């Protein structure tokens, strides 16, 4: 069984410890036109290399999946450079973000078949002229309801998944629409064990978490550290409840962090959140490091009776089972 990394085809047996949902370079669509904020791509590659090298040397991370949506500044050549220089495998994905923060009109107005053709092209032939192939599919939905265009992208991902056999990473917003995503995948013939429903740790509703896992998908607790969406205390309580209920094998852990952002932070934000980010920037701590999971969240879980062995198994075994398409 093989998987596509940004440096080529690799056997899944070489995945090792895997961060399944983090980012390197990101930008909100339109930032490429912002002449008031200059972007140093070389510096971003150097910083990404430094941070991934630290993850490998200190925490034994061998693989890093960056499921950056196509239009959020996905730069597969930068990923390839960072992978070569850091010695960490990197897997990228194809697929669009949600509205209104992504999904450019050209694609929102395309048909399901046209979108599927793009996804299959990127999975089988590569992104643009780079020859770098995506190793999975990304899907995303907004808050509270799935828009018609988002639905088209999910249906296109179903076609591409069945054609190529890769896994699907989803983005959900405000802890909503996870079960609706599952319904679209299932009704279009996708095995729900091939899907991780992402960002479920934004919801505090334990029935919501149970519905996702009982239907047979992986559940993403993958925004750990993002205080503006949920507190880590609440995430830790929810995760401990899932583990106690016997679902540890279906949990994938991540932080949805990034190394560099081109342009300004393009998402609407509360004033106090902006102030907090600016303060961290002045201290040289923004964007925050990928190591938060190990240094801060794991001890919180141990306080709740979940051992480090169980948590590392989520990064070592669950990711391997998920990425290799194995049954739960
Ligand atoms: Zn993400």
């Amino acid at each position: 069984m093989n998987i596509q990394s940004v440096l080529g085809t690799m056997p899944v047996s070489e995945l090792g410890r895997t961060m399944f949902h983090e980012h390197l370079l990101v930008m909100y669509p339109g930032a490429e036109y912002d002449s008031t904020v200059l972007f140093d791509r070389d510096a971003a590659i150097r910083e990404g290399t430094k941070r991934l090298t630290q993850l490998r040397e200190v925490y034994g991370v061998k693989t890093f999946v960056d499921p950056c949506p196509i239009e959020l500044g996905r730069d597969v050549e930068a990923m390839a450079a960072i992978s070569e220089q850091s010695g960490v495998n990197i897997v990228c994905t194809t697929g669009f973000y949600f509205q209104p923060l992504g999904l450019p009109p050209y694609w929102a107005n395309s048909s399901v078949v046209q979108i599927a053709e793009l996804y299959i092209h990127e999975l089988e032939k590569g992104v643009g002229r780079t020859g770098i192939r995506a190793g999975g599919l990304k899907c995303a939905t907004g808050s509270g309801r799935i828009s018609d265009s988002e639905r088209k992208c999910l249906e296109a991902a179903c076609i591409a998944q069945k054609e190529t056999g890769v896994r699907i990473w989803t983005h959900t917003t405000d802890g909503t629409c996870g079960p609706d995503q599952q319904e679209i995948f299932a009704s279009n013939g996708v095995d729900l064990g091939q899907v991780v429903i992402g960002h479920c740790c934004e919801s505090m509703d334990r029935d919501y978490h149970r519905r996702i896992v009982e239907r047979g998908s992986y559940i993403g607790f993958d925004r750990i550290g993002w205080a503006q969406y949920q507190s880590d205390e609440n995430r830790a309580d929810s995760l401990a409840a899932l583990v106690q209920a016997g679902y540890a094998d279906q949990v994938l852990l991540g932080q949805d962090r990034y190394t560099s952002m081109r342009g300004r932070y393009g998402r609407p934000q509360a004033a106090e959140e902006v102030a907090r980010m600016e303060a961290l920037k002045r201290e040289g701590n923004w964007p925050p490091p990928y190591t938060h999971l190990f240094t801060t969240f794991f001890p919180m879980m141990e306080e709740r009776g979940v051992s480090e062995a169980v948590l590392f198994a989520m990064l070592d075994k669950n990711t391997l089972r998920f990425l290799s398409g194995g049954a739960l």
Side-chain angles (χ1 to χ4, degrees):
M1 173 80 199
N2 291 325
I3 186 162
Q4 205 59 41
S5 84
V6 293
L7 297 184
T9 305
M10 61 180 271
V12 289
S13 57
E14 286 179 17
L15 284 168
R17 179 161 295 161
T18 298
M19 306 292 276
F20 98 101
H21 190 140
E22 309 293 338
H23 300 287
L24 289 160
L25 287 59
V26 294
M27 85 172 188
Y28 286 96
E32 67 269 42
Y33 312 122
D34 191 348
S35 303
T36 71
V37 186
L38 296 177
F39 179 63
D40 186 341
R41 181 172 177 270
D42 291 339
I45 290 172
R46 280 196 302 277
E47 185 63 22
T49 299
K50 188 176 106 190
R51 291 183 182 212
L52 261 59
T53 302
Q54 180 196 26
L55 276 183
R56 178 173 60 75
E57 289 179 347
V58 181
Y59 295 100
V61 172
K62 286 189 71 179
T63 302
F64 181 100
V65 183
D66 180 351
C68 183
I70 292 169
E71 76 280 35
L72 254 69
R74 185 190 60 176
D75 184 339
V76 297
E77 288 175 310
M79 290 185 207
I82 292 169
S83 180
E84 264 173 359
Q85 290 164 30
S86 67
V88 175
N89 307 308
I90 299 178
V91 175
C92 70
T93 61
T94 183
F96 289 108
Y97 209 37
F98 69 97
Q99 291 177 314
L101 292 185
L103 236 184
Y106 180 91
W107 291 104
N109 295 327
S110 295
S111 69
V112 172
V113 169
Q114 287 166 333
I115 300 166
E117 281 172 357
L118 170 72
Y119 291 176
I120 292 167
H121 185 96
E122 293 203 338
L123 289 161
E124 292 189 336
K125 296 196 169 63
V127 174
R129 295 179 194 276
T130 64
I132 295 173
R133 289 165 56 188
L137 285 153
K138 174 70 176 274
C139 291
T141 55
S143 186
R145 68 174 283 275
I146 297 178
S147 78
D148 292 345
S149 300
E150 291 163 357
R151 179 178 297 272
K152 281 198 288 189
C153 292
L154 264 68
E155 289 173 356
C158 292
I159 294 172
Q161 196 283 328
K162 287 185 289 178
E163 175 103 4
T164 64
V166 300
R167 256 54 60 204
I168 299 176
W169 278 248
T170 82
H171 164 104
T172 58
T173 302
D174 299 335
T176 65
C177 296
D180 308 272
Q181 292 183 344
Q182 287 180 305
E183 186 53 39
I184 292 172
F185 295 134
S187 64
N188 284 280
V190 170
D191 169 4
L192 291 179
Q194 305 295 307
V195 178
V196 54
I197 304 296
H199 306 341
C200 291
C201 55
E202 288 188 21
S203 170
M204 281 280 287
D205 179 352
R206 293 186 187 170
D207 288 338
Y208 179 88
H209 300 147
R210 289 289 282 267
R211 283 168 71 194
I212 305 270
V213 289
E214 281 173 3
R215 228 179 146 182
S217 296
Y218 288 82
I219 185 165
F221 267 61
D222 49 4
R223 273 196 160 169
I224 292 164
W226 278 104
Q228 72 211 73
Y229 303 121
Q230 187 57 266
S231 74
D232 275 356
E233 296 289 333
N234 287 340
R235 290 188 179 99
D237 289 343
S238 302
L239 180 56
L242 261 182
V243 170
Q244 273 149 21
Y247 293 108
D249 287 350
Q250 281 171 260
V251 177
L252 297 179
L253 293 178
Q255 302 162 109
D256 202 21
R257 294 197 168 196
Y258 54 85
T259 295
S260 310
M261 179 170 282
R262 180 170 177 172
R264 287 177 280 105
Y265 194 82
R267 192 187 280 260
Q269 281 194 297
E272 61 266 30
E273 193 53 40
V274 175
R276 203 179 67 84
M277 282 166 62
E278 290 302 324
L280 286 168
K281 251 181 218 168
R282 282 193 298 277
E283 295 162 13
N285 289 321
W286 189 268
Y290 300 119
T291 50
H292 174 85
L293 182 68
F294 305 105
T295 57
T296 307
F297 193 70
F298 277 18
M300 290 171 67
M301 291 308 301
E302 287 183 271
E303 278 170 21
R304 288 162 175 79
V306 179
S307 71
E308 213 174 62
V310 168
L311 299 164
F312 274 114
M314 293 173 181
L315 301 179
D316 298 344
K317 294 184 179 154
N318 294 7
T319 52
L320 174 62
R321 205 180 333 101
F322 173 60
L323 285 164
S324 59
L328 270 167

